[in-house]
Coordinates of all heavy atoms in Angstrom, one line a residue:
M69 N -8.0 -39.8 84.9 CA -8.2 -38.5 85.6 C -7.7 -37.4 84.6 O -6.7 -37.5 83.9 CB -7.3 -38.5 86.8 CG -7.3 -37.3 87.6 SD -6.5 -37.5 89.2 CE -6.6 -35.9 89.8
K70 N -8.5 -36.4 84.6 CA -8.2 -35.2 83.7 C -7.1 -34.4 84.3 O -7.1 -34.2 85.5 CB -9.5 -34.3 83.5 CG -10.6 -35.0 82.8 CD -11.8 -34.0 82.8 CE -12.8 -34.4 83.8 NZ -14.0 -33.6 83.9
G71 N -6.2 -33.9 83.4 CA -5.2 -33.0 83.9 C -5.7 -31.6 84.1 O -6.8 -31.3 83.7
K72 N -4.9 -30.8 84.8 CA -5.4 -29.5 85.1 C -5.6 -28.6 83.9 O -6.6 -27.9 83.8 CB -4.3 -28.8 86.0 CG -4.8 -27.5 86.5 CD -3.8 -26.8 87.5 CE -4.3 -25.5 87.9 NZ -3.4 -24.9 88.9
T73 N -4.8 -28.8 82.9 CA -4.9 -28.0 81.6 C -6.2 -28.4 80.9 O -7.0 -27.6 80.5 CB -3.7 -28.3 80.7 OG1 -2.6 -27.9 81.4 CG2 -3.9 -27.4 79.4
D74 N -6.5 -29.7 80.9 CA -7.8 -30.2 80.3 C -9.0 -29.7 81.0 O -10.0 -29.2 80.4 CB -7.8 -31.7 80.2 CG -6.8 -32.3 79.2 OD1 -6.4 -31.6 78.3 OD2 -6.5 -33.5 79.3
Q75 N -8.9 -29.7 82.3 CA -10.0 -29.2 83.1 C -10.2 -27.7 82.9 O -11.4 -27.3 82.9 CB -9.8 -29.5 84.6 CG -11.0 -29.3 85.5 CD -10.8 -29.8 86.9 OE1 -9.7 -29.8 87.4 NE2 -11.9 -30.1 87.5
T76 N -9.2 -27.0 82.8 CA -9.3 -25.5 82.6 C -9.9 -25.3 81.2 O -10.8 -24.4 81.1 CB -7.9 -24.9 82.6 OG1 -7.3 -25.1 83.9 CG2 -8.0 -23.4 82.3
K77 N -9.6 -26.0 80.2 CA -10.2 -25.8 78.9 C -11.7 -26.2 78.9 O -12.5 -25.4 78.4 CB -9.5 -26.7 77.9 CG -8.1 -26.3 77.5 CD -7.4 -27.4 76.6 CE -6.0 -27.1 76.4 NZ -5.3 -28.1 75.5
I78 N -12.0 -27.3 79.5 CA -13.4 -27.7 79.6 C -14.2 -26.6 80.4 O -15.3 -26.3 80.0 CB -13.5 -29.1 80.3 CG1 -12.9 -30.1 79.4 CG2 -14.9 -29.4 80.6 CD1 -12.7 -31.5 80.0
R79 N -13.6 -26.2 81.5 CA -14.3 -25.1 82.3 C -14.6 -23.9 81.5 O -15.7 -23.4 81.5 CB -13.5 -24.8 83.6 CG -14.2 -23.9 84.6 CD -13.3 -23.3 85.6 NE -12.4 -22.4 85.1 CZ -11.1 -22.5 85.2 NH1 -10.5 -23.5 85.8 NH2 -10.3 -21.6 84.6
L80 N -13.6 -23.4 80.8 CA -13.7 -22.2 80.1 C -14.8 -22.3 79.0 O -15.6 -21.4 78.8 CB -12.4 -21.8 79.5 CG -12.2 -20.4 78.8 CD1 -12.5 -19.3 79.9 CD2 -10.9 -20.2 78.3
L81 N -14.8 -23.4 78.3 CA -15.8 -23.7 77.2 C -17.2 -23.8 77.8 O -18.1 -23.4 77.3 CB -15.4 -24.9 76.4 CG -14.3 -24.7 75.4 CD1 -13.8 -26.1 74.8 CD2 -14.7 -23.8 74.3
A82 N -17.2 -24.5 79.0 CA -18.5 -24.7 79.6 C -19.1 -23.3 80.0 O -20.3 -23.1 79.8 CB -18.4 -25.6 80.8
V83 N -18.3 -22.5 80.6 CA -18.8 -21.2 81.1 C -19.2 -20.4 79.8 O -20.3 -19.7 79.9 CB -17.7 -20.4 81.8 CG1 -18.1 -19.0 82.1 CG2 -17.4 -21.1 83.2
E84 N -18.4 -20.4 78.7 CA -18.8 -19.7 77.5 C -20.2 -20.2 77.0 O -21.1 -19.4 76.7 CB -17.8 -19.9 76.4 CG -18.2 -19.2 75.2 CD -17.3 -19.5 74.0 OE1 -16.9 -20.7 73.9 OE2 -17.1 -18.7 73.1
R85 N -20.4 -21.5 77.0 CA -21.7 -22.0 76.5 C -22.8 -21.6 77.4 O -23.9 -21.4 76.9 CB -21.6 -23.5 76.4 CG -20.7 -23.9 75.2 CD -20.6 -25.4 75.0 NE -19.6 -25.6 73.9 CZ -19.8 -26.5 73.0 NH1 -20.9 -27.2 73.0 NH2 -19.0 -26.6 72.0
M86 N -22.6 -21.6 78.7 CA -23.7 -21.1 79.6 C -24.1 -19.7 79.3 O -25.2 -19.3 79.3 CB -23.2 -21.2 81.1 CG -23.0 -22.6 81.6 SD -22.4 -22.6 83.3 CE -21.3 -24.0 83.3
I87 N -23.1 -18.8 79.0 CA -23.3 -17.4 78.7 C -24.0 -17.3 77.4 O -24.9 -16.5 77.2 CB -22.0 -16.6 78.9 CG1 -21.6 -16.5 80.3 CG2 -22.2 -15.2 78.3 CD1 -20.3 -15.9 80.6
L88 N -23.6 -18.1 76.4 CA -24.1 -18.0 75.0 C -25.6 -18.5 75.0 O -26.2 -18.2 73.9 CB -23.3 -18.9 74.1 CG -21.9 -18.3 73.7 CD1 -21.2 -19.3 72.8 CD2 -22.0 -17.0 73.1
R89 N -26.1 -19.0 76.0 CA -27.5 -19.4 76.0 C -28.4 -18.1 75.9 O -29.6 -18.2 75.5 CB -27.9 -20.1 77.3 CG -27.4 -21.5 77.4 CD -27.8 -22.1 78.7 NE -27.0 -23.2 79.1 CZ -26.7 -23.6 80.3 NH1 -27.1 -23.0 81.3 NH2 -26.0 -24.7 80.5
G90 N -27.8 -17.0 76.2 CA -28.6 -15.7 76.1 C -29.4 -15.3 77.3 O -30.0 -14.2 77.3
E91 N -29.4 -16.2 78.3 CA -30.1 -15.8 79.6 C -29.1 -15.4 80.6 O -28.0 -15.8 80.7 CB -30.8 -17.1 80.1 CG -31.8 -17.6 79.1 CD -32.3 -19.0 79.5 OE1 -31.9 -19.5 80.6 OE2 -33.1 -19.6 78.7
R92 N -29.6 -14.5 81.5 CA -28.7 -14.0 82.5 C -28.4 -15.1 83.5 O -29.3 -15.9 83.9 CB -29.4 -12.9 83.3 CG -28.5 -12.1 84.2 CD -29.1 -10.9 84.8 NE -29.6 -10.0 83.8 CZ -30.1 -8.8 84.0 NH1 -30.4 -8.4 85.3 NH2 -30.5 -8.0 83.0
I93 N -27.1 -15.2 83.9 CA -26.7 -16.3 84.8 C -25.8 -15.7 85.9 O -25.0 -14.9 85.6 CB -26.0 -17.5 84.0 CG1 -25.8 -18.7 84.9 CG2 -24.8 -17.0 83.3 CD1 -25.4 -19.9 84.1
T94 N -25.9 -16.2 87.1 CA -25.1 -15.7 88.2 C -23.9 -16.6 88.3 O -23.8 -17.7 87.8 CB -25.9 -15.7 89.5 OG1 -26.1 -17.1 89.9 CG2 -27.2 -14.9 89.4
C95 N -22.9 -16.0 89.0 CA -21.7 -16.8 89.3 C -22.0 -18.1 90.1 O -21.5 -19.1 89.8 CB -20.7 -15.9 90.1 SG -19.1 -16.6 90.4
Q96 N -22.9 -18.0 91.0 CA -23.3 -19.2 91.8 C -23.9 -20.2 90.9 O -23.7 -21.4 91.1 CB -24.3 -18.8 92.9 CG -23.6 -18.1 94.1 CD -22.5 -19.0 94.7 OE1 -22.7 -20.2 94.9 NE2 -21.5 -18.4 95.2
Q97 N -24.7 -19.8 89.9 CA -25.4 -20.8 89.0 C -24.3 -21.4 88.1 O -24.4 -22.6 87.9 CB -26.4 -20.1 88.1 CG -27.6 -19.7 88.9 CD -28.5 -18.7 88.1 OE1 -28.0 -17.9 87.3 NE2 -29.8 -18.9 88.2
I98 N -23.3 -20.7 87.7 CA -22.2 -21.2 86.9 C -21.4 -22.2 87.7 O -21.2 -23.3 87.3 CB -21.3 -20.1 86.4 CG1 -22.0 -19.2 85.4 CG2 -20.0 -20.7 85.9 CD1 -21.2 -17.9 85.0
L99 N -21.1 -21.9 89.0 CA -20.3 -22.8 89.8 C -21.1 -24.1 90.1 O -20.6 -25.2 90.0 CB -20.0 -22.1 91.2 CG -19.0 -21.0 91.1 CD1 -19.0 -20.2 92.4 CD2 -17.6 -21.6 90.8
R100 N -22.4 -24.0 90.3 CA -23.3 -25.1 90.6 C -23.3 -26.0 89.3 O -23.2 -27.3 89.4 CB -24.7 -24.7 91.0 CG -25.5 -25.8 91.5 CD -26.9 -25.4 92.0 NE -26.9 -24.2 92.7 CZ -27.5 -23.0 92.3 NH1 -28.2 -23.0 91.1 NH2 -27.5 -21.9 93.0
E101 N -23.5 -25.4 88.2 CA -23.6 -26.3 86.9 C -22.2 -26.9 86.6 O -22.2 -28.1 86.2 CB -24.0 -25.4 85.8 CG -24.3 -26.2 84.5 CD -25.0 -25.5 83.4 OE1 -25.8 -24.5 83.7 OE2 -24.9 -25.9 82.3
L102 N -21.1 -26.2 86.8 CA -19.8 -26.8 86.6 C -19.6 -28.0 87.5 O -19.1 -29.0 87.1 CB -18.7 -25.8 86.9 CG -18.5 -24.7 85.9 CD1 -17.5 -23.7 86.4 CD2 -18.0 -25.3 84.6
D103 N -20.1 -27.9 88.7 CA -19.9 -29.0 89.7 C -20.8 -30.2 89.3 O -20.4 -31.3 89.2 CB -20.2 -28.5 91.1 CG -20.0 -29.6 92.2 OD1 -19.2 -30.5 91.9 OD2 -20.6 -29.5 93.2
L104 N -22.1 -29.9 89.1 CA -23.0 -31.0 88.8 C -22.9 -31.6 87.4 O -23.0 -32.9 87.3 CB -24.5 -30.5 89.0 CG -24.9 -30.0 90.4 CD1 -26.3 -29.4 90.3 CD2 -24.8 -31.2 91.3
K105 N -22.7 -30.8 86.4 CA -22.6 -31.3 85.0 C -21.3 -31.8 84.6 O -21.1 -32.7 83.8 CB -23.2 -30.3 84.1 CG -23.6 -30.7 82.7 CD -24.3 -29.6 82.0 CE -24.8 -30.1 80.7 NZ -25.5 -29.0 80.0
Y106 N -20.2 -31.1 85.1 CA -18.9 -31.4 84.6 C -17.9 -31.9 85.7 O -16.8 -32.2 85.4 CB -18.3 -30.1 84.0 CG -19.1 -29.6 82.8 CD1 -20.0 -28.6 83.0 CD2 -18.9 -30.1 81.5 CE1 -20.7 -28.1 81.9 CE2 -19.7 -29.7 80.5 CZ -20.6 -28.6 80.7 OH -21.3 -28.2 79.6
D107 N -18.4 -32.0 86.9 CA -17.6 -32.4 88.1 C -16.3 -31.6 88.2 O -15.2 -32.1 88.4 CB -17.2 -33.9 87.9 CG -16.7 -34.5 89.3 OD1 -17.1 -34.0 90.3 OD2 -15.9 -35.4 89.2
I108 N -16.5 -30.3 88.0 CA -15.4 -29.3 88.1 C -15.7 -28.4 89.3 O -16.7 -27.8 89.3 CB -15.3 -28.5 86.8 CG1 -14.8 -29.4 85.6 CG2 -14.3 -27.3 87.0 CD1 -14.8 -28.7 84.3
K109 N -14.7 -28.3 90.2 CA -14.8 -27.4 91.3 C -14.0 -26.2 91.0 O -12.9 -26.2 90.4 CB -14.2 -28.0 92.6 CG -14.7 -29.4 92.9 CD -16.1 -29.4 93.6 CE -16.4 -30.7 94.1 NZ -17.5 -31.4 93.4
A110 N -14.6 -25.0 91.2 CA -13.9 -23.7 90.9 C -14.4 -22.8 92.0 O -15.3 -23.0 92.7 CB -14.3 -23.2 89.5
D111 N -13.7 -21.6 92.0 CA -14.1 -20.6 93.0 C -14.6 -19.4 92.2 O -14.4 -19.3 91.0 CB -13.0 -20.2 94.0 CG -11.8 -19.7 93.3 OD1 -11.8 -19.1 92.2 OD2 -10.7 -19.8 94.0
R112 N -15.2 -18.4 92.9 CA -15.7 -17.2 92.3 C -14.7 -16.4 91.5 O -15.0 -16.0 90.4 CB -16.3 -16.4 93.5 CG -17.1 -15.2 93.2 CD -17.6 -14.5 94.4 NE -16.7 -14.5 95.6 CZ -15.8 -13.6 95.8 NH1 -15.7 -12.6 95.0 NH2 -15.0 -13.7 96.8
K113 N -13.5 -16.3 92.0 CA -12.5 -15.5 91.3 C -12.1 -16.1 90.0 O -11.8 -15.5 89.0 CB -11.3 -15.3 92.2 CG -11.5 -14.3 93.4 CD -10.3 -14.1 94.2 CE -10.5 -13.2 95.3 NZ -9.3 -12.9 96.1
T114 N -12.1 -17.5 90.0 CA -11.8 -18.2 88.7 C -12.8 -17.9 87.7 O -12.5 -17.7 86.5 CB -11.7 -19.7 89.0 OG1 -10.6 -19.9 90.0 CG2 -11.4 -20.5 87.7
I115 N -14.1 -17.9 88.1 CA -15.2 -17.6 87.2 C -15.1 -16.2 86.7 O -15.3 -15.9 85.5 CB -16.6 -17.9 87.8 CG1 -16.7 -19.3 88.3 CG2 -17.7 -17.5 86.9 CD1 -16.4 -20.4 87.2
Y116 N -14.8 -15.2 87.5 CA -14.6 -13.8 87.1 C -13.5 -13.8 86.0 O -13.6 -13.1 85.0 CB -14.2 -12.9 88.3 CG -15.3 -12.8 89.3 CD1 -15.0 -12.4 90.6 CD2 -16.6 -13.0 89.0 CE1 -15.9 -12.3 91.6 CE2 -17.6 -12.9 90.0 CZ -17.3 -12.5 91.3 OH -18.2 -12.4 92.3
S117 N -12.4 -14.5 86.3 CA -11.3 -14.5 85.3 C -11.7 -15.1 84.0 O -11.4 -14.6 82.9 CB -10.1 -15.3 85.9 OG -9.1 -15.4 85.0
D118 N -12.5 -16.2 84.0 CA -13.0 -16.8 82.8 C -13.9 -15.9 82.0 O -13.8 -15.8 80.8 CB -13.8 -18.1 83.2 CG -12.9 -19.3 83.6 OD1 -11.6 -19.2 83.5 OD2 -13.4 -20.2 84.2
I119 N -14.7 -15.2 82.8 CA -15.7 -14.3 82.1 C -14.9 -13.1 81.4 O -15.2 -12.7 80.3 CB -16.7 -13.8 83.1 CG1 -17.7 -14.9 83.4 CG2 -17.5 -12.6 82.5 CD1 -18.6 -14.7 84.5
C120 N -13.9 -12.6 82.1 CA -13.0 -11.6 81.5 C -12.4 -12.1 80.2 O -12.3 -11.4 79.2 CB -12.0 -11.1 82.4 SG -12.6 -10.0 83.7
A121 N -11.9 -13.3 80.2 CA -11.3 -13.9 79.0 C -12.3 -14.1 77.9 O -12.0 -13.8 76.7 CB -10.6 -15.3 79.3
I122 N -13.5 -14.6 78.2 CA -14.5 -14.8 77.2 C -15.0 -13.5 76.6 O -15.3 -13.4 75.4 CB -15.7 -15.6 77.9 CG1 -15.3 -17.0 78.2 CG2 -16.9 -15.6 76.9 CD1 -16.2 -17.7 79.2
D123 N -15.0 -12.4 77.5 CA -15.5 -11.1 77.0 C -14.6 -10.5 75.9 O -15.0 -9.7 75.2 CB -15.5 -10.2 78.3 CG -16.2 -8.8 77.9 OD1 -17.2 -8.8 77.3 OD2 -15.5 -7.8 78.3
R124 N -13.4 -11.0 75.8 CA -12.5 -10.5 74.7 C -13.0 -11.0 73.4 O -12.6 -10.5 72.4 CB -11.1 -11.0 75.0 CG -10.5 -10.4 76.3 CD -9.1 -10.8 76.5 NE -8.3 -10.2 75.5 CZ -7.0 -10.3 75.4 NH1 -6.4 -11.1 76.2 NH2 -6.3 -9.8 74.4
F125 N -13.8 -12.1 73.4 CA -14.3 -12.7 72.1 C -15.8 -12.5 71.9 O -16.3 -12.3 70.8 CB -13.9 -14.1 72.0 CG -12.5 -14.4 72.0 CD1 -11.8 -14.6 73.2 CD2 -11.8 -14.4 70.9 CE1 -10.4 -14.8 73.2 CE2 -10.4 -14.6 70.9 CZ -9.7 -14.8 72.1
V126 N -16.5 -12.6 73.0 CA -18.0 -12.5 73.0 C -18.3 -11.4 74.0 O -18.0 -11.5 75.2 CB -18.6 -13.8 73.5 CG1 -20.1 -13.6 73.5 CG2 -18.2 -14.9 72.6
P127 N -18.9 -10.3 73.6 CA -19.3 -9.2 74.5 C -20.3 -9.7 75.6 O -21.3 -10.3 75.3 CB -19.9 -8.1 73.7 CG -19.9 -8.6 72.3 CD -19.3 -9.9 72.2
I128 N -19.9 -9.4 76.8 CA -20.7 -9.9 78.0 C -21.1 -8.7 78.8 O -20.3 -7.8 79.1 CB -19.9 -10.9 78.8 CG1 -19.6 -12.1 78.0 CG2 -20.7 -11.2 80.1 CD1 -18.7 -13.1 78.7
E129 N -22.4 -8.6 79.2 CA -22.8 -7.6 80.1 C -22.8 -8.1 81.5 O -23.1 -9.3 81.7 CB -24.3 -7.1 79.7 CG -24.3 -6.3 78.5 CD -25.8 -5.9 78.1 OE1 -26.6 -6.7 78.1 OE2 -25.9 -4.7 77.9
S130 N -22.4 -7.3 82.4 CA -22.4 -7.6 83.8 C -23.4 -6.8 84.6 O -23.5 -5.6 84.4 CB -21.0 -7.4 84.4 OG -21.0 -7.6 85.8
Y131 N -24.2 -7.5 85.4 CA -25.3 -6.8 86.2 C -25.0 -7.0 87.7 O -24.7 -8.2 88.1 CB -26.6 -7.3 85.9 CG -27.0 -7.2 84.4 CD1 -26.7 -8.2 83.5 CD2 -27.7 -6.1 84.0 CE1 -27.1 -8.1 82.2 CE2 -28.0 -5.9 82.6 CZ -27.7 -6.9 81.7 OH -28.1 -6.8 80.4
S132 N -25.1 -6.0 88.5 CA -24.8 -6.2 89.9 C -26.2 -6.1 90.7 O -27.2 -5.7 90.1 CB -23.9 -5.1 90.4 OG -24.4 -3.8 90.2
G133 N -26.1 -6.4 91.9 CA -27.3 -6.4 92.7 C -28.0 -7.7 92.8 O -27.6 -8.7 92.4
H134 N -29.2 -7.6 93.4 CA -30.0 -8.8 93.7 C -30.3 -9.6 92.4 O -30.3 -10.8 92.4 CB -31.3 -8.4 94.4 CG -32.2 -9.6 94.8 ND1 -31.8 -10.5 95.7 CD2 -33.4 -10.0 94.3 CE1 -32.7 -11.4 95.9 NE2 -33.7 -11.2 95.0
Y135 N -30.6 -9.0 91.3 CA -30.9 -9.6 90.1 C -29.7 -9.6 89.1 O -29.9 -9.6 87.9 CB -32.1 -9.0 89.4 CG -33.4 -9.2 90.2 CD1 -33.9 -8.1 91.0 CD2 -34.0 -10.4 90.3 CE1 -35.0 -8.3 91.7 CE2 -35.2 -10.6 91.1 CZ -35.7 -9.5 91.8 OH -36.8 -9.7 92.5
G136 N -28.5 -9.6 89.7 CA -27.3 -9.5 88.9 C -26.9 -10.8 88.2 O -27.6 -11.8 88.3
G137 N -25.8 -10.7 87.5 CA -25.3 -11.9 86.8 C -24.6 -11.4 85.5 O -24.3 -10.3 85.3
Y138 N -24.5 -12.4 84.6 CA -23.8 -12.1 83.3 C -24.7 -12.6 82.2 O -25.5 -13.5 82.3 CB -22.5 -12.9 83.3 CG -21.6 -12.6 84.4 CD1 -21.6 -13.3 85.6 CD2 -20.8 -11.5 84.4 CE1 -20.8 -13.0 86.7 CE2 -20.0 -11.1 85.4 CZ -20.0 -11.9 86.6 OH -19.2 -11.5 87.6
Q139 N -24.6 -11.9 81.1 CA -25.4 -12.2 79.9 C -24.7 -11.7 78.7 O -24.0 -10.7 78.7 CB -26.7 -11.5 80.0 CG -27.7 -11.9 79.0 CD -29.1 -11.3 79.3 OE1 -29.3 -10.4 80.1 NE2 -30.1 -11.7 78.6
M140 N -24.8 -12.5 77.6 CA -24.2 -12.1 76.3 C -24.9 -10.8 75.9 O -26.1 -10.6 76.0 CB -24.4 -13.2 75.3 CG -23.9 -13.0 74.0 SD -24.1 -14.4 72.9 CE -25.9 -14.4 72.7
V141 N -24.1 -9.9 75.3 CA -24.6 -8.6 74.8 C -25.4 -8.9 73.5 O -24.9 -9.7 72.6 CB -23.5 -7.6 74.5 CG1 -24.1 -6.4 73.8 CG2 -22.8 -7.2 75.8
D142 N -26.6 -8.4 73.4 CA -27.4 -8.6 72.2 C -27.1 -7.5 71.2 O -27.7 -6.5 71.1 CB -28.9 -8.6 72.5 CG -29.8 -8.8 71.3 OD1 -29.3 -9.1 70.3 OD2 -31.0 -8.6 71.5
V143 N -26.0 -7.7 70.4 CA -25.5 -6.7 69.5 C -26.5 -6.4 68.4 O -26.7 -5.2 68.1 CB -24.2 -7.2 68.9 CG1 -23.6 -6.2 67.9 CG2 -23.1 -7.5 70.0
L144 N -27.1 -7.4 67.9 CA -28.1 -7.2 66.8 C -29.3 -6.4 67.4 O -29.9 -5.5 66.7 CB -28.6 -8.5 66.2 CG -27.5 -9.2 65.4 CD1 -28.0 -10.5 64.9 CD2 -27.0 -8.4 64.3
G145 N -29.8 -6.7 68.6 CA -30.9 -6.0 69.2 C -30.6 -4.6 69.4 O -31.4 -3.7 69.2
R146 N -29.3 -4.3 69.8 CA -28.9 -2.9 70.0 C -28.9 -2.1 68.7 O -29.3 -1.0 68.6 CB -27.6 -2.8 70.6 CG -27.6 -3.2 72.1 CD -26.2 -3.0 72.7 NE -26.3 -3.1 74.1 CZ -25.4 -2.9 74.9 NH1 -24.2 -2.5 74.5 NH2 -25.5 -3.1 76.2
C147 N -28.5 -2.8 67.6 CA -28.5 -2.1 66.3 C -30.0 -1.8 65.8 O -30.2 -0.8 65.3 CB -27.9 -3.0 65.2 SG -26.1 -3.2 65.5
E148 N -30.9 -2.8 66.1 CA -32.3 -2.5 65.7 C -32.9 -1.4 66.5 O -33.8 -0.7 66.0 CB -33.1 -3.8 65.9 CG -32.7 -4.9 64.9 CD -33.3 -6.2 65.2 OE1 -34.1 -6.3 66.2 OE2 -33.0 -7.2 64.5
D149 N -32.5 -1.2 67.7 CA -33.0 -0.2 68.6 C -32.4 1.2 68.2 O -32.8 2.2 68.8 CB -32.7 -0.4 70.1 CG -33.5 -1.6 70.6 OD1 -34.5 -2.0 69.9 OD2 -33.1 -2.2 71.6
G150 N -31.3 1.2 67.3 CA -30.7 2.4 66.9 C -29.6 2.8 67.9 O -29.0 3.9 67.7
E151 N -29.2 2.0 68.8 CA -28.2 2.4 69.8 C -26.8 2.5 69.1 O -26.1 3.4 69.4 CB -28.1 1.3 70.9 CG -28.2 1.9 72.3 CD -28.1 0.9 73.3 OE1 -27.0 0.5 73.7 OE2 -29.2 0.5 73.8
G152 N -26.5 1.7 68.2 CA -25.2 1.7 67.6 C -25.1 2.6 66.3 O -24.1 2.7 65.7
A153 N -26.3 3.1 65.9 CA -26.3 3.9 64.7 C -25.6 5.2 64.8 O -25.7 5.9 65.7 CB -27.8 4.1 64.3
G154 N -24.8 5.5 63.7 CA -24.0 6.7 63.8 C -24.4 7.7 62.8 O -25.0 8.4 62.2

């Protein structure tokens, strides 16, 4: 049986990898994949907390509404568009 600390580490890394795919993903999709692929049960607030922690290292965009979710920020794409140019 995995300890709570091990499960927390695995969950955090799994959520990061889901976001690093580059596709928008919802909290419900994250929860479902954690359950099915890693046998980890979590709640919505835990995922929000994980995303905040990951955002300190990997910039994440948050979208609300019907087509909401989370997605890694395309930093290079923004540079090419001239958004970050000074």
Side-chain angles (χ1 to χ4, degrees):
M69 182 171 177
K70 294 179 259 182
K72 185 176 179 174
T73 302
D74 289 340
Q75 190 173 29
T76 299
K77 292 174 184 177
I78 293 167
R79 187 193 67 239
L80 191 59
L81 285 170
V83 172
E84 180 191 34
R85 289 178 184 226
M86 289 179 218
I87 290 172
L88 288 177
R89 290 180 196 149
E91 300 169 1
R92 193 174 300 183
I93 188 166
T94 67
C95 187
Q96 284 301 321
Q97 290 169 322
I98 292 170
L99 290 169
R100 189 176 322 113
E101 187 167 334
L102 284 173
D103 184 24
L104 296 174
K105 196 170 186 179
Y106 301 97
D107 195 30
I108 294 175
K109 309 282 190 251
D111 63 24
R112 187 176 39 86
K113 288 183 179 182
T114 301
I115 300 307
Y116 295 157
S117 176
D118 289 349
I119 289 171
C120 285
I122 295 165
D123 187 50
R124 295 182 70 180
F125 297 93
V126 178
I128 298 172
E129 289 181 306
S130 173
Y131 301 91
S132 58
H134 183 67
Y135 296 103
Y138 302 95
Q139 187 172 12
M140 181 178 66
V141 173
D142 182 9
V143 178
L144 295 177
R146 285 186 173 185
C147 290
E148 290 171 4
D149 292 343
E151 234 180 81

